[in-house]
Amino acid sequence: AADLPPGKLSLRSIGLNNNGNTLKAMADGDFQVFAGLERLESISTNKLTITPAAFEVFATCPALEEIQMQYNSLGDALWPYLAGVKKLRKMVQGFDGLPVQGIGISNLSRTTMEELVLGSTSIVDEALKEIGKFTALKTLILETTKISDAGVPALAGLNKLERLNVRGTNVT
């Protein structure tokens, strides 16, 4: 990110994929180059060595609707840093190196979130109480998590839910 040309950027999508371990190391401060991107709608990160604080800059991107993160080792500490992303419609977090139990996920915008993908994380029943308050949710992927039948009643109020994937969990 530090090698981007100076001046105002006008991007709709950013993909930072380090699956081949070819990106040079990024620090949290490197994300400041993305501050205030007015047209940015989507950000995807994979295998970056950053902390959750790096994502705070995306609250300054008014059109941001989609965040996808995998293999980043961010854990539940991420949620408060995304609280300012007001139009977030889709959130994907999975295969994280740190436990993602979903505690604090209610920091995300509950009225705009339509798709929440938390497969292959450590999501627990307690988090379903928070997820059950996402009134616009249409898709919820909790595949290969630690949820059980005990947590499912917390999702009863998701009246717009069209797709629920609980494969590989303790839900019967």
Side-chain angles (χ1 to χ4, degrees):
D3 293 336
L4 291 172
K8 185 154 177 81
L9 295 174
S10 182
L11 302 173
R12 288 192 175 209
S13 179
I14 297 171
L16 299 170
N17 183 334
N18 198 24
N19 285 340
N21 296 318
T22 56
L23 286 179
K24 71 179 189 177
M26 294 180 71
D28 290 355
D30 290 335
F31 273 55
Q32 288 303 313
V33 71
F34 305 127
L37 292 178
E38 295 174 5
R39 295 179 52 208
L40 183 65
E41 297 172 0
S42 173
I43 175 79
S44 174
T45 66
N46 289 303
K47 288 191 173 183
L48 298 183
T49 53
I50 52 175
T51 71
F55 287 86
E56 190 169 33
V57 70
F58 293 111
T60 68
C61 302
L64 188 60
E65 295 182 347
E66 182 176 326
I67 298 175
Q68 297 191 44
M69 301 171 295
Q70 296 185 341
Y71 303 102
N72 289 305
S73 296
L74 298 168
D76 284 322
L78 173 69
W79 309 126
Y81 291 102
L82 298 177
V85 182
K86 301 298 183 195
K87 291 185 178 180
L88 195 58
R89 183 187 53 73
K90 179 178 180 180
M91 176 73 199
V92 177
Q93 185 177 17
F95 304 101
D96 203 300
L98 296 175
V100 177
Q101 296 181 328
I103 309 305
I105 198 166
S106 60
N107 282 291
L108 300 178
S109 177
R110 290 184 264 175
T111 58
T112 61
M113 185 68 63
E114 294 178 358
E115 186 172 351
L116 191 55
V117 180
L118 299 166
S120 298
T121 63
S122 302
I123 294 291
V124 294
D125 288 336
E126 186 178 341
L128 297 184
K129 294 175 189 169
E130 294 185 50
I131 292 171
K133 297 176 184 172
F134 286 78
T135 57
L137 208 55
K138 294 179 182 177
T139 300
L140 178 59
I141 308 297
L142 298 169
E143 175 179 13
T144 319
T145 62
K146 297 183 178 187
I147 64 167
S148 69
D149 290 336
V152 173
L155 304 177
L158 297 177
N159 298 327
K160 295 182 180 179
L161 194 64
E162 299 170 358
R163 181 174 175 222
L164 174 64
N165 182 340
V166 294
R167 183 179 47 198
T169 68
N170 291 319
V171 174
T172 56

Short mmCIF file of all heavy atoms in Angstrom, two decimals, residues 24 27 35 62 74 100 123:
data_model
loop_
_atom_site.label_atom_id
_atom_site.label_comp_id
_atom_site.label_asym_id
_atom_site.label_seq_id
_atom_site.Cartn_x
_atom_site.Cartn_y
_atom_site.Cartn_z
N LYS A 24 5.02 -7.52 0.43
CA LYS A 24 5.93 -7.10 1.50
C LYS A 24 5.11 -6.86 2.76
O LYS A 24 3.91 -6.59 2.70
CB LYS A 24 6.73 -5.87 1.09
CG LYS A 24 5.96 -4.59 1.03
CD LYS A 24 6.89 -3.46 0.65
CE LYS A 24 6.17 -2.14 0.79
NZ LYS A 24 7.03 -1.01 0.51
N ALA A 27 2.21 -2.72 7.70
CA ALA A 27 1.94 -2.27 9.06
C ALA A 27 0.55 -1.64 9.08
O ALA A 27 0.01 -1.27 8.03
CB ALA A 27 2.98 -1.26 9.51
N ALA A 35 -7.79 5.93 3.56
CA ALA A 35 -8.69 6.80 4.32
C ALA A 35 -9.49 7.69 3.39
O ALA A 35 -8.96 8.31 2.46
CB ALA A 35 -7.91 7.66 5.31
N PRO A 62 -17.39 6.08 3.05
CA PRO A 62 -18.85 6.10 3.20
C PRO A 62 -19.63 5.09 2.34
O PRO A 62 -20.76 4.76 2.67
CB PRO A 62 -19.23 7.53 2.82
CG PRO A 62 -18.11 8.01 1.97
CD PRO A 62 -16.88 7.33 2.47
N LEU A 74 -7.07 -11.99 13.22
CA LEU A 74 -7.64 -10.77 13.79
C LEU A 74 -8.51 -11.04 15.01
O LEU A 74 -8.58 -10.23 15.92
CB LEU A 74 -8.45 -10.02 12.73
CG LEU A 74 -7.64 -9.55 11.53
CD1 LEU A 74 -8.56 -9.08 10.41
CD2 LEU A 74 -6.67 -8.47 11.93
N VAL A 100 -12.40 -16.66 16.80
CA VAL A 100 -13.47 -15.73 16.44
C VAL A 100 -14.74 -16.34 17.02
O VAL A 100 -15.33 -17.22 16.43
CB VAL A 100 -13.61 -15.55 14.92
CG1 VAL A 100 -14.78 -14.63 14.60
CG2 VAL A 100 -12.33 -15.00 14.33
N ILE A 123 -17.17 -19.50 16.43
CA ILE A 123 -18.44 -18.89 16.85
C ILE A 123 -19.14 -19.81 17.84
O ILE A 123 -19.23 -21.02 17.63
CB ILE A 123 -19.34 -18.61 15.63
CG1 ILE A 123 -18.72 -17.55 14.73
CG2 ILE A 123 -20.76 -18.22 16.04
CD1 ILE A 123 -18.68 -16.16 15.31
#
